[in-house]
């Protein structure tokens, strides 16, 4: 401990000019804290819970983000009620797919990073800058990703200052930190090919919030139908997907009662049409 610790005053590092990045501040002044690094050879191939399918789609008022609740560990179900959609700040959400433990740590650090930037600079990051910052954090995990502990999140937010006026935007990433903006909709995780296939036929840019939520739930149902690692609505345990929206007013998670109602409606419609609704013509 330094003298300033005993006297209740901040140390010199807090008054040293630097960047507005909280992670860079930690790396410079607390190198003893955990940092991304390669795993030892004797723990390579470790089995850890993995999150599966998440998706996002823009709609009339903003952008919607949804995710199933299952985490798997090999062929086992590690958790049935994992929450994969989390707020990053007031107008941004992050959905996680990949190694759960690393992903949740990354989300917590990312939340602090955005809050720290806003306090230091006096203004929030732009949505494009948020996506770039998250890409950098993913790239720092590359050594672990090469050993099977990859994190592939999905970032969505409402961009009030973007080109063309206020609108929802979606960004995807690869394990090496590549950043890609997606138009309309996107999905990540093991069930993503089936979810994207469903959204391809159901998506319309001017959908209402309820229409967008139903399209997302139909896509997750299709993913669970063809991918064993994706969990569908569990009516017996009352476990339903997490659905959140981001609009000009900010981040909002749909109430459990609303998500349950929409999920039950999807399940009931599948009783007569197991393959799902037809695409609108």
């Amino acid at each position: 401990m330094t003298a300033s610790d005993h006297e209740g005053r901040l140390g010199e590092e807090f008054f040293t000019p630097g960047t507005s990045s909280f992670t860079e501040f930690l790396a410079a002044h607390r190198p003893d804290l955990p940092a991304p690094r390669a795993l030892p050879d004797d723990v390579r191939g470790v089995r850890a819970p993995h999150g599966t399918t998440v998706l996002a789609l823009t709609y009339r008022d903003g952008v919607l983000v949804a995710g199933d609740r299952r985490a798997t560990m090999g062929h086992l179900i590690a958790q049935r009620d994992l929450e994969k959609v989390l707020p990053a700040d007031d107008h941004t959400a992050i959905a996680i797919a990949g190694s759960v433990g690393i992903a949740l740590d990354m989300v917590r650090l990312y939340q602090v990073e955005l809050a720290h930037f806003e306090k230091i600079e006096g203004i929030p990051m732009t949505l494009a800058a948020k996506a770039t910052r998250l890409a950098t954090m993913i790239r720092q995990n590359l050594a672990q990703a090469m050993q099977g502990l990859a994190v592939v999140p999905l970032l969505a937010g409402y961009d009030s200052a973007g080109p063309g006026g206020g609108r929802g935007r979606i960004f995807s990433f690869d394990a090496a930190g590549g950043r890609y903006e997606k138009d309309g909709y996107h999905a990540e995780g093991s069930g993503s090919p089936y979810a994207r296939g469903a959204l391809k036929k159901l998506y319309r840019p001017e959908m209402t919030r309820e229409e967008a939520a139903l399209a997302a739930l139909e896509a997750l149902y299709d993913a669970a139908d063809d991918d064993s690692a994706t969990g569908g609505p569990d009516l017996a345990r009352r476990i339903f997907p997490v659905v959140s929206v981001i609009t000009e007013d900010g981040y909002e998670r749909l109430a459990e009662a609303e998500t349950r109602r929409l999920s039950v409606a999807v399940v009931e419609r599948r009783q007569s049409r197991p393959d799902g609704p037809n695409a609108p013509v």
Side-chain angles (χ1 to χ4, degrees), residues 81-124:
D81 60 352
L82 177 67
E83 299 205 359
K84 305 175 189 176
V85 178
L86 303 160
D89 64 12
D90 290 341
H91 287 86
T92 317
I94 183 168
I96 57 172
S99 181
V100 172
I102 294 175
L104 291 177
D105 279 347
M106 186 179 293
V107 170
R108 285 190 284 266
L109 183 57
Y110 185 61
Q111 291 167 334
V112 173
E113 178 85 356
L114 298 187
H116 182 263
F117 179 94
E118 187 169 350
K119 289 178 180 179
I120 295 298
E121 300 294 336
I123 57 173

Side-chain angles (χ1 to χ4, degrees), residues 50-54 68 72 97-98 188-194 223 226-230:
H50 275 67
T52 48
T53 309
V54 294
D68 82 308
T72 60
E188 291 289 358
S190 60
S192 60
Y194 313 108
D226 287 302
D227 173 44
S228 62
T230 303

Side-chain angles (χ1 to χ4, degrees), residues 21-79:
S21 170
F22 183 69
T23 53
E24 292 179 11
F25 173 81
L26 285 181
H29 299 289
R30 289 298 305 275
D32 56 304
L33 292 177
R37 58 175 62 89
L39 297 175
D41 290 338
D42 58 347
V43 297
R44 292 188 180 186
V46 63
R47 294 177 66 189
H50 275 67
T52 48
T53 309
V54 294
L55 60 85
L57 64 151
T58 58
Y59 70 106
R60 185 173 63 192
D61 299 323
V63 61
L64 178 144
V65 190
D68 82 308
R69 306 292 294 277
R70 180 173 293 177
T72 60
M73 191 164 59
H75 296 294
L76 302 177
I77 297 175
Q79 187 172 346

Side-chain angles (χ1 to χ4, degrees), residues 30-255:
R30 289 298 305 275
D32 56 304
L33 292 177
R37 58 175 62 89
L39 297 175
D41 290 338
D42 58 347
V43 297
R44 292 188 180 186
V46 63
R47 294 177 66 189
H50 275 67
T52 48
T53 309
V54 294
L55 60 85
L57 64 151
T58 58
Y59 70 106
R60 185 173 63 192
D61 299 323
V63 61
L64 178 144
V65 190
D68 82 308
R69 306 292 294 277
R70 180 173 293 177
T72 60
M73 191 164 59
H75 296 294
L76 302 177
I77 297 175
Q79 187 172 346
R80 299 179 188 275
D81 60 352
L82 177 67
E83 299 205 359
K84 305 175 189 176
V85 178
L86 303 160
D89 64 12
D90 290 341
H91 287 86
T92 317
I94 183 168
I96 57 172
S99 181
V100 172
I102 294 175
L104 291 177
D105 279 347
M106 186 179 293
V107 170
R108 285 190 284 266
L109 183 57
Y110 185 61
Q111 291 167 334
V112 173
E113 178 85 356
L114 298 187
H116 182 263
F117 179 94
E118 187 169 350
K119 289 178 180 179
I120 295 298
E121 300 294 336
I123 57 173
M125 279 190 193
T126 65
L127 185 56
K130 293 174 188 177
T132 299
R133 184 60 198 144
L134 182 56
T136 301
M137 295 177 71
I138 296 168
R139 190 176 303 115
Q140 291 170 344
N141 188 59
L142 181 58
Q144 290 166 302
M146 296 294 289
Q147 298 174 65
L149 298 176
V151 176
V152 186
L154 193 58
L155 186 74
Y158 188 85
D159 190 354
S160 57
R167 62 188 179 95
R169 298 174 70 184
I170 302 167
F171 294 90
S172 71
F173 308 85
D174 60 36
R179 189 199 85 168
Y180 315 95
E181 183 165 3
K182 300 297 181 179
D183 183 30
Y185 60 88
H186 190 66
E188 291 289 358
S190 60
S192 60
Y194 313 108
R196 285 199 297 268
L199 290 174
K200 187 174 183 178
K201 67 177 182 178
L202 298 175
Y203 176 76
R204 291 178 289 109
E206 293 303 315
M207 289 188 294
T208 65
R209 183 173 102 158
E210 181 159 322
E211 289 171 337
L214 282 169
L217 292 171
E218 292 278 9
L220 289 174
Y221 192 105
D222 279 346
D225 199 31
D226 287 302
D227 173 44
S228 62
T230 303
D234 191 335
L235 302 185
R237 295 184 177 88
R238 296 180 175 83
I239 299 173
F240 304 98
V242 174
V243 181
S244 298
V245 295
I246 309 104
T247 66
E248 186 177 10
D249 296 327
Y251 176 93
E252 178 190 356
R253 173 171 169 168
L254 270 62

